[in-house]
Amino acid sequence: MTAGAIGGVKLPSRALLAPMAGVSDRAYRELCVGMGAGYCVSEMVSSKALSFGSKKSEELMEISEQERPCGIQIFGDDPRCMAEAAEAAMRHSPDIIDINMGCPAPKISGNGSGSALMKNPKLCGEITAEVVKTVGVPVTVKIRKGWDDNMINAVEVAKICEQAGASAIAVHGRTRMQYYKPPVDYDIIRQVKQSVKIPVIANGDIDSAKKAKHVLDFTGADFVMIGRATLGNPWIFEQINSYLADPCAPPSYPAIEDKLDTMVAHVAKMVEYKGEYIALRQARKLVAGYFKGIRGAAALRNEAGRIETLDDLYRLKEKALQAH
């Protein structure tokens, strides 16, 4: 089944997993693709760190067959360095290379990368062109509405990146200065869609199947990209796919046992890839997400912040089941 394509890469669903630093690692991407995500993207990788031979950056780019189609996202502000980073990423056989022009984090945008690139549309085009020239796979770009309310230029940047050879544009409907605070401007995504011929991916506050359909219908976008709403709820992809196929079908929600079994399997996979020490510390905030809607969730989340071993997680799972 194909729901669309980016470049020559066929995507089986219109609901895609957004890249999230510290969250969308290999274990998480495999989980979400298994739940119906049509595509996923690595955590963002620094082009500068790659040029210094960073082992951690290399690990971020590891892709397994279970998570395809999968892209690797790179960030930086120098066209040549970004092209070299894309070349390094190709050693891991990504289906797509994604360029981050939307990250609002001060340590990224404060150094001229991520959303700071929106202040220099010409540079956005130069980076895109260099990366496109260097790799043999589709190149996508993730942008924001603009830098601030005085610089709303998503349409301009999207057109420049399209001319430079980008195969798709993902648009987060907020400026950099808004960070992740509402409201999301879906109208700017619609404007981008009307101004380019390549696929457009809508991003920002899509937290349910109904909202996904509304955003797709309103913006005319080809795909939706979901980030924070997937935390503790990877089932959102199945729900969106089902709702888009038949809005009248009753929505399905996982039983609490399924939810907690998935939580344990997810963290166990993280342990397999990273070792228990690192995995459990990274998993704390992810585990907290699985307790949403469960009786005694606040206390369980509090305890999740202190887990150090898989045994701690098993005990917490049993406690959650008993509370229910």
Side-chain angles (χ1 to χ4, degrees), residues 65-291:
E65 289 307 308
Q66 287 79 26
E67 53 180 301
R68 292 190 183 278
C70 180
I72 290 176
Q73 186 184 76
I74 55 175
F75 74 91
D77 64 346
D78 177 78
R80 192 64 241 142
C81 187
M82 286 288 278
E84 285 165 9
E87 204 168 4
M90 289 307 296
R91 293 198 293 266
H92 298 272
S93 306
D95 299 288
I96 287 170
I97 293 287
D98 184 54
I99 301 171
N100 184 315
M101 297 184 185
C103 179
K107 68 176 182 182
I108 306 295
S109 60
N111 287 321
S113 302
S115 54
L117 290 170
M118 300 287 294
K119 292 193 279 188
N120 189 342
K122 183 170 171 284
L123 181 57
C124 293
E126 288 166 1
I127 289 172
T128 304
E130 278 298 315
V131 173
V132 167
K133 204 165 67 182
T134 306
V135 299
V137 297
V139 173
T140 58
V141 178
K142 192 163 193 286
I143 65 173
R144 281 190 163 235
K145 176 180 175 177
W147 176 256
D148 59 21
D149 287 342
N150 298 316
M151 193 185 283
I152 293 168
N153 59 354
V155 170
E156 180 193 0
V157 172
K159 285 162 85 167
I160 285 171
C161 290
E162 178 184 36
Q163 283 169 340
S167 293
I169 305 275
V171 188
H172 183 110
R174 291 186 177 99
T175 65
R176 186 269 172 189
M177 288 306 177
Q178 282 179 290
Y179 271 71
Y180 296 102
K181 292 186 175 66
V184 176
D185 181 0
Y186 296 113
D187 197 53
I188 193 78
I189 301 175
R190 176 159 68 175
Q191 289 173 39
V192 169
K193 177 60 189 169
Q194 288 167 353
S195 70
V196 297
K197 294 184 172 64
I198 54 177
V200 170
I201 303 161
N203 179 230
D205 278 13
I206 296 159
D207 56 6
S208 69
K210 200 169 269 188
K211 182 78 174 275
K213 186 174 190 316
H214 166 74
V215 170
L216 284 166
D217 291 346
F218 178 79
T219 62
D222 303 86
F223 305 96
V224 285
M225 188 166 253
I226 305 109
R228 289 170 300 158
T230 66
L231 294 172
N233 183 27
W235 297 271
I236 193 168
F237 295 106
E238 291 176 342
Q239 291 160 357
I240 292 171
N241 295 340
S242 162
Y243 189 75
L244 292 179
D246 180 7
C248 298
S252 66
Y253 299 99
I256 183 167
E257 291 82 3
D258 291 341
K259 210 172 182 183
L260 297 175
D261 283 347
T262 299
M263 172 187 80
V264 168
H266 173 190
V267 178
K269 188 59 83 171
M270 288 176 73
V271 169
E272 182 188 324
Y273 291 150
K274 302 179 182 189
E276 193 169 58
Y277 183 86
I278 293 172
L280 266 295
R281 276 151 186 78
Q282 289 182 350
R284 288 168 180 171
K285 61 183 175 191
L286 304 177
V287 166
Y290 285 100
F291 294 134

Side-chain angles (χ1 to χ4, degrees), residues 16-85:
L16 320 179
L17 174 65
M20 292 176 281
V23 176
S24 58
D25 61 8
R26 193 168 145 201
Y28 198 66
R29 298 193 304 263
E30 286 180 1
L31 171 66
C32 291
V33 167
M35 294 279 187
Y39 168 66
C40 60
V41 191
S42 75
E43 298 171 76
M44 58 182 177
V45 181
S46 162
S47 57
K48 283 197 177 78
L50 275 181
S51 68
F52 294 129
S54 160
K55 184 169 176 287
K56 186 171 177 283
S57 297
E58 280 292 338
E59 286 167 0
L60 286 176
M61 298 191 295
E62 288 175 6
I63 296 174
S64 67
E65 289 307 308
Q66 287 79 26
E67 53 180 301
R68 292 190 183 278
C70 180
I72 290 176
Q73 186 184 76
I74 55 175
F75 74 91
D77 64 346
D78 177 78
R80 192 64 241 142
C81 187
M82 286 288 278
E84 285 165 9

